[in-house]
Short mmCIF file of all heavy atoms in Angstrom, two decimals:
data_model
loop_
_atom_site.label_atom_id
_atom_site.label_comp_id
_atom_site.label_asym_id
_atom_site.label_seq_id
_atom_site.Cartn_x
_atom_site.Cartn_y
_atom_site.Cartn_z
N VAL A 318 -11.93 10.35 -6.40
CA VAL A 318 -10.75 11.17 -6.47
C VAL A 318 -10.23 11.25 -7.89
O VAL A 318 -9.88 12.37 -8.41
CB VAL A 318 -9.58 10.64 -5.55
CG1 VAL A 318 -8.30 11.32 -5.77
CG2 VAL A 318 -10.05 10.76 -4.06
N VAL A 319 -10.18 10.14 -8.56
CA VAL A 319 -9.68 10.09 -9.95
C VAL A 319 -10.52 11.01 -10.86
O VAL A 319 -10.00 11.78 -11.70
CB VAL A 319 -9.67 8.62 -10.46
CG1 VAL A 319 -9.33 8.64 -12.02
CG2 VAL A 319 -8.62 7.85 -9.71
N ALA A 320 -11.87 10.85 -10.77
CA ALA A 320 -12.73 11.70 -11.57
C ALA A 320 -12.53 13.19 -11.24
O ALA A 320 -12.56 14.00 -12.16
CB ALA A 320 -14.20 11.30 -11.26
N SER A 321 -12.37 13.51 -9.94
CA SER A 321 -12.12 14.90 -9.63
C SER A 321 -10.80 15.41 -10.18
O SER A 321 -10.71 16.57 -10.56
CB SER A 321 -12.16 15.04 -8.07
OG SER A 321 -13.42 14.72 -7.56
N ALA A 322 -9.83 14.54 -10.16
CA ALA A 322 -8.49 14.90 -10.69
C ALA A 322 -8.55 15.21 -12.19
O ALA A 322 -8.01 16.17 -12.68
CB ALA A 322 -7.47 13.82 -10.39
N VAL A 323 -9.31 14.40 -12.89
CA VAL A 323 -9.48 14.58 -14.37
C VAL A 323 -10.12 15.97 -14.59
O VAL A 323 -9.69 16.71 -15.45
CB VAL A 323 -10.25 13.43 -15.02
CG1 VAL A 323 -10.61 13.79 -16.45
CG2 VAL A 323 -9.47 12.13 -14.99
N ALA A 324 -11.16 16.23 -13.82
CA ALA A 324 -11.90 17.49 -13.99
C ALA A 324 -11.01 18.66 -13.60
O ALA A 324 -11.12 19.76 -14.20
CB ALA A 324 -13.12 17.48 -13.13
N ALA A 325 -10.07 18.46 -12.69
CA ALA A 325 -9.20 19.53 -12.22
C ALA A 325 -7.95 19.66 -13.04
O ALA A 325 -7.16 20.58 -12.83
CB ALA A 325 -8.83 19.37 -10.72
N GLY A 326 -7.69 18.74 -13.95
CA GLY A 326 -6.51 18.81 -14.75
C GLY A 326 -5.28 18.24 -14.09
O GLY A 326 -4.15 18.57 -14.52
N GLU A 327 -5.44 17.43 -13.08
CA GLU A 327 -4.28 16.79 -12.38
C GLU A 327 -4.25 15.31 -12.70
O GLU A 327 -5.21 14.70 -13.14
CB GLU A 327 -4.33 17.03 -10.87
CG GLU A 327 -4.16 18.52 -10.51
CD GLU A 327 -3.92 18.70 -9.02
OE1 GLU A 327 -4.59 18.05 -8.18
OE2 GLU A 327 -3.13 19.58 -8.70
N ALA A 328 -3.03 14.71 -12.44
CA ALA A 328 -2.87 13.31 -12.84
C ALA A 328 -2.84 12.40 -11.61
O ALA A 328 -1.80 12.41 -10.90
CB ALA A 328 -1.58 13.22 -13.60
N PHE A 329 -3.88 11.69 -11.39
CA PHE A 329 -3.93 10.66 -10.31
C PHE A 329 -4.33 9.35 -10.95
O PHE A 329 -5.21 9.30 -11.83
CB PHE A 329 -4.97 11.04 -9.27
CG PHE A 329 -4.45 12.01 -8.27
CD1 PHE A 329 -4.45 13.37 -8.55
CD2 PHE A 329 -3.93 11.58 -7.02
CE1 PHE A 329 -3.94 14.30 -7.61
CE2 PHE A 329 -3.53 12.49 -6.08
CZ PHE A 329 -3.47 13.89 -6.35
N TRP A 330 -3.64 8.25 -10.51
CA TRP A 330 -3.92 6.95 -11.10
C TRP A 330 -4.42 5.99 -9.94
O TRP A 330 -3.79 5.92 -8.92
CB TRP A 330 -2.70 6.42 -11.80
CG TRP A 330 -3.01 5.26 -12.70
CD1 TRP A 330 -2.74 3.98 -12.51
CD2 TRP A 330 -3.67 5.37 -14.01
NE1 TRP A 330 -3.20 3.22 -13.60
CE2 TRP A 330 -3.75 4.08 -14.50
CE3 TRP A 330 -4.20 6.46 -14.73
CZ2 TRP A 330 -4.35 3.79 -15.77
CZ3 TRP A 330 -4.79 6.18 -15.96
CH2 TRP A 330 -4.89 4.93 -16.45
N PRO A 331 -5.50 5.24 -10.21
CA PRO A 331 -5.98 4.33 -9.15
C PRO A 331 -5.08 3.11 -9.01
O PRO A 331 -4.69 2.51 -9.92
CB PRO A 331 -7.35 3.93 -9.68
CG PRO A 331 -7.28 4.06 -11.18
CD PRO A 331 -6.27 5.20 -11.40
N MET A 332 -4.83 2.84 -7.69
CA MET A 332 -3.97 1.66 -7.36
C MET A 332 -4.68 0.75 -6.44
O MET A 332 -5.55 1.16 -5.67
CB MET A 332 -2.68 2.18 -6.66
CG MET A 332 -1.82 3.19 -7.54
SD MET A 332 -1.20 2.47 -9.06
CE MET A 332 0.02 1.29 -8.46
N PRO A 333 -4.38 -0.57 -6.50
CA PRO A 333 -5.12 -1.55 -5.68
C PRO A 333 -4.46 -1.68 -4.29
O PRO A 333 -3.33 -1.19 -4.04
CB PRO A 333 -4.91 -2.85 -6.40
CG PRO A 333 -3.57 -2.67 -7.07
CD PRO A 333 -3.41 -1.21 -7.41
N LEU A 334 -5.17 -2.35 -3.44
CA LEU A 334 -4.62 -2.71 -2.10
C LEU A 334 -4.82 -4.22 -1.90
O LEU A 334 -5.71 -4.68 -1.20
CB LEU A 334 -5.33 -1.94 -0.96
CG LEU A 334 -5.03 -0.45 -0.89
CD1 LEU A 334 -5.89 0.23 0.17
CD2 LEU A 334 -3.56 -0.18 -0.66
N PRO A 335 -3.96 -5.04 -2.56
CA PRO A 335 -4.12 -6.49 -2.55
C PRO A 335 -4.02 -7.09 -1.13
O PRO A 335 -3.17 -6.77 -0.36
CB PRO A 335 -2.96 -7.01 -3.40
CG PRO A 335 -2.52 -5.81 -4.19
CD PRO A 335 -2.78 -4.63 -3.31
N ARG A 336 -4.96 -8.00 -0.84
CA ARG A 336 -5.00 -8.61 0.51
C ARG A 336 -3.69 -9.36 0.84
O ARG A 336 -3.27 -9.31 2.00
CB ARG A 336 -6.19 -9.60 0.59
CG ARG A 336 -7.55 -8.89 0.64
CD ARG A 336 -8.64 -10.00 0.81
NE ARG A 336 -9.93 -9.41 0.86
CZ ARG A 336 -11.04 -10.16 1.08
NH1 ARG A 336 -10.93 -11.45 1.23
NH2 ARG A 336 -12.25 -9.54 1.08
N HIS A 337 -3.16 -9.97 -0.15
CA HIS A 337 -1.97 -10.76 0.16
C HIS A 337 -0.76 -9.95 0.68
O HIS A 337 0.10 -10.51 1.40
CB HIS A 337 -1.58 -11.68 -0.99
CG HIS A 337 -0.93 -10.93 -2.13
ND1 HIS A 337 -1.68 -10.32 -3.07
CD2 HIS A 337 0.36 -10.63 -2.45
CE1 HIS A 337 -0.85 -9.69 -3.96
NE2 HIS A 337 0.39 -9.88 -3.59
N LEU A 338 -0.73 -8.65 0.33
CA LEU A 338 0.39 -7.87 0.74
C LEU A 338 0.27 -7.51 2.28
O LEU A 338 1.26 -7.03 2.84
CB LEU A 338 0.47 -6.60 -0.05
CG LEU A 338 0.95 -6.78 -1.51
CD1 LEU A 338 0.96 -5.45 -2.25
CD2 LEU A 338 2.37 -7.39 -1.60
N ARG A 339 -0.87 -7.65 2.82
CA ARG A 339 -1.10 -7.37 4.25
C ARG A 339 -0.17 -8.15 5.15
O ARG A 339 0.27 -7.64 6.21
CB ARG A 339 -2.56 -7.56 4.63
CG ARG A 339 -2.90 -7.45 6.11
CD ARG A 339 -2.53 -6.11 6.65
NE ARG A 339 -2.86 -6.02 8.10
CZ ARG A 339 -2.13 -6.55 9.10
NH1 ARG A 339 -0.98 -7.16 8.83
NH2 ARG A 339 -2.48 -6.41 10.35
N ALA A 340 0.22 -9.31 4.71
CA ALA A 340 1.15 -10.15 5.54
C ALA A 340 2.53 -9.48 5.73
O ALA A 340 3.22 -9.80 6.69
CB ALA A 340 1.33 -11.52 4.87
N ASN A 341 2.87 -8.53 4.87
CA ASN A 341 4.14 -7.81 5.03
C ASN A 341 4.14 -6.96 6.28
O ASN A 341 5.23 -6.51 6.71
CB ASN A 341 4.36 -6.92 3.83
CG ASN A 341 4.75 -7.67 2.56
OD1 ASN A 341 5.65 -8.49 2.59
ND2 ASN A 341 4.04 -7.39 1.46
N LEU A 342 3.02 -6.75 6.87
CA LEU A 342 2.94 -5.90 8.06
C LEU A 342 2.79 -6.69 9.37
O LEU A 342 2.68 -6.11 10.45
CB LEU A 342 1.71 -4.92 7.99
CG LEU A 342 1.75 -3.92 6.80
CD1 LEU A 342 0.45 -3.18 6.71
CD2 LEU A 342 2.93 -2.99 6.95
N ASP A 343 2.83 -8.04 9.23
CA ASP A 343 2.72 -8.89 10.47
C ASP A 343 3.99 -8.71 11.29
O ASP A 343 5.09 -8.66 10.78
CB ASP A 343 2.54 -10.32 10.09
CG ASP A 343 1.15 -10.59 9.45
OD1 ASP A 343 0.26 -9.72 9.69
OD2 ASP A 343 1.00 -11.62 8.80
N SER A 344 3.84 -8.65 12.61
CA SER A 344 4.94 -8.59 13.53
C SER A 344 4.75 -9.57 14.68
O SER A 344 3.66 -9.71 15.21
CB SER A 344 5.02 -7.20 14.10
OG SER A 344 5.85 -7.09 15.26
N PRO A 345 5.81 -10.21 15.13
CA PRO A 345 5.71 -11.14 16.33
C PRO A 345 5.70 -10.32 17.64
O PRO A 345 5.46 -10.96 18.68
CB PRO A 345 6.95 -11.96 16.20
CG PRO A 345 7.95 -11.11 15.49
CD PRO A 345 7.16 -10.27 14.47
N PHE A 346 5.94 -9.02 17.53
CA PHE A 346 6.03 -8.25 18.81
C PHE A 346 4.96 -7.18 18.97
O PHE A 346 4.88 -6.52 20.05
CB PHE A 346 7.43 -7.53 18.82
CG PHE A 346 8.57 -8.50 18.60
CD1 PHE A 346 9.27 -8.50 17.45
CD2 PHE A 346 8.93 -9.48 19.56
CE1 PHE A 346 10.28 -9.38 17.18
CE2 PHE A 346 9.94 -10.35 19.40
CZ PHE A 346 10.70 -10.31 18.19
N ALA A 347 4.15 -6.93 17.99
CA ALA A 347 3.15 -5.88 18.05
C ALA A 347 2.01 -6.19 17.11
O ALA A 347 2.05 -7.27 16.36
CB ALA A 347 3.76 -4.57 17.67
N ASP A 348 0.96 -5.39 17.10
CA ASP A 348 -0.15 -5.60 16.14
C ASP A 348 0.32 -5.48 14.73
O ASP A 348 -0.20 -6.18 13.84
CB ASP A 348 -1.26 -4.55 16.44
CG ASP A 348 -1.91 -4.73 17.79
OD1 ASP A 348 -2.16 -5.88 18.13
OD2 ASP A 348 -2.16 -3.71 18.41
N LEU A 349 1.24 -4.57 14.48
CA LEU A 349 1.71 -4.35 13.11
C LEU A 349 3.21 -3.98 13.18
O LEU A 349 3.75 -3.61 14.24
CB LEU A 349 1.06 -3.09 12.51
CG LEU A 349 -0.48 -3.07 12.32
CD1 LEU A 349 -0.91 -1.66 12.01
CD2 LEU A 349 -0.81 -4.01 11.18
N ARG A 350 3.89 -4.01 12.06
CA ARG A 350 5.19 -3.38 11.92
C ARG A 350 5.08 -2.32 10.85
O ARG A 350 4.16 -2.34 10.00
CB ARG A 350 6.32 -4.38 11.54
CG ARG A 350 6.12 -5.13 10.24
CD ARG A 350 7.27 -6.12 9.99
NE ARG A 350 7.03 -6.88 8.78
CZ ARG A 350 7.95 -7.78 8.38
NH1 ARG A 350 9.10 -7.96 9.02
NH2 ARG A 350 7.74 -8.46 7.29
N ASN A 351 5.89 -1.30 10.90
CA ASN A 351 5.68 -0.12 10.03
C ASN A 351 6.23 -0.31 8.67
O ASN A 351 5.89 0.41 7.76
CB ASN A 351 6.20 1.14 10.67
CG ASN A 351 7.71 1.24 10.63
OD1 ASN A 351 8.42 0.24 10.77
ND2 ASN A 351 8.17 2.46 10.48
N ALA A 352 7.08 -1.28 8.46
CA ALA A 352 7.60 -1.53 7.09
C ALA A 352 8.18 -2.97 6.98
O ALA A 352 8.58 -3.55 7.98
CB ALA A 352 8.76 -0.50 6.83
N ALA A 353 8.16 -3.48 5.74
CA ALA A 353 8.75 -4.81 5.49
C ALA A 353 10.21 -4.59 5.05
O ALA A 353 10.46 -4.34 3.95
CB ALA A 353 7.95 -5.45 4.43
N VAL A 354 11.11 -4.76 6.04
CA VAL A 354 12.51 -4.53 5.70
C VAL A 354 13.04 -5.62 4.80
O VAL A 354 12.78 -6.80 5.02
CB VAL A 354 13.31 -4.51 7.08
CG1 VAL A 354 14.82 -4.36 6.76
CG2 VAL A 354 12.86 -3.36 7.94
N GLY A 355 13.70 -5.23 3.77
CA GLY A 355 14.27 -6.15 2.83
C GLY A 355 13.40 -6.60 1.75
O GLY A 355 13.74 -7.41 0.86
N ASN A 356 12.13 -6.09 1.71
CA ASN A 356 11.13 -6.44 0.71
C ASN A 356 10.58 -5.17 0.17
O ASN A 356 9.78 -4.50 0.77
CB ASN A 356 10.07 -7.34 1.30
CG ASN A 356 9.08 -7.80 0.26
OD1 ASN A 356 9.18 -7.43 -0.91
ND2 ASN A 356 8.16 -8.67 0.66
N ARG A 357 10.98 -4.85 -1.08
CA ARG A 357 10.52 -3.58 -1.67
C ARG A 357 9.34 -3.78 -2.56
O ARG A 357 8.76 -2.81 -3.13
CB ARG A 357 11.64 -2.96 -2.52
CG ARG A 357 12.94 -2.69 -1.63
CD ARG A 357 14.06 -2.20 -2.56
NE ARG A 357 13.72 -0.94 -3.25
CZ ARG A 357 14.52 -0.39 -4.16
NH1 ARG A 357 15.66 -0.98 -4.57
NH2 ARG A 357 14.14 0.73 -4.70
N ALA A 358 8.81 -4.97 -2.68
CA ALA A 358 7.70 -5.26 -3.64
C ALA A 358 6.43 -4.53 -3.17
O ALA A 358 6.01 -4.72 -2.02
CB ALA A 358 7.51 -6.79 -3.70
N GLY A 359 5.82 -3.76 -4.01
CA GLY A 359 4.58 -3.11 -3.73
C GLY A 359 4.70 -2.17 -2.57
O GLY A 359 3.69 -2.03 -1.81
N GLY A 360 5.78 -1.45 -2.47
CA GLY A 360 5.99 -0.58 -1.30
C GLY A 360 4.94 0.49 -1.13
O GLY A 360 4.52 0.76 -0.03
N MET A 361 4.42 1.11 -2.28
CA MET A 361 3.38 2.09 -2.12
C MET A 361 2.11 1.48 -1.62
O MET A 361 1.39 2.08 -0.81
CB MET A 361 3.17 2.70 -3.49
CG MET A 361 1.98 3.63 -3.61
SD MET A 361 1.79 4.55 -5.10
CE MET A 361 1.92 3.28 -6.38
#
């Protein structure tokens, strides 16, 4: 995607998906929760 964006003249920047942030989605009531309320770190 990044290489295609450069060729197309658009600005896209590669971002990581760190494993440790996955814990923000843990829920005691379901497989996942949709957001980590009160924690804005690494929201994207």
Side-chain angles (χ1 to χ4, degrees):
V318 171
V319 172
S321 298
V323 171
E327 293 192 321
F329 278 82
W330 196 253
M332 302 297 292
L334 291 175
R336 288 186 181 183
H337 71 275
L338 289 178
R339 172 59 180 80
N341 286 310
L342 299 173
D343 290 342
S344 166
F346 307 108
D348 294 319
L349 300 166
R350 58 180 178 179
N351 75 324
V354 176
N356 183 356
R357 301 174 62 187
M361 172 172 52

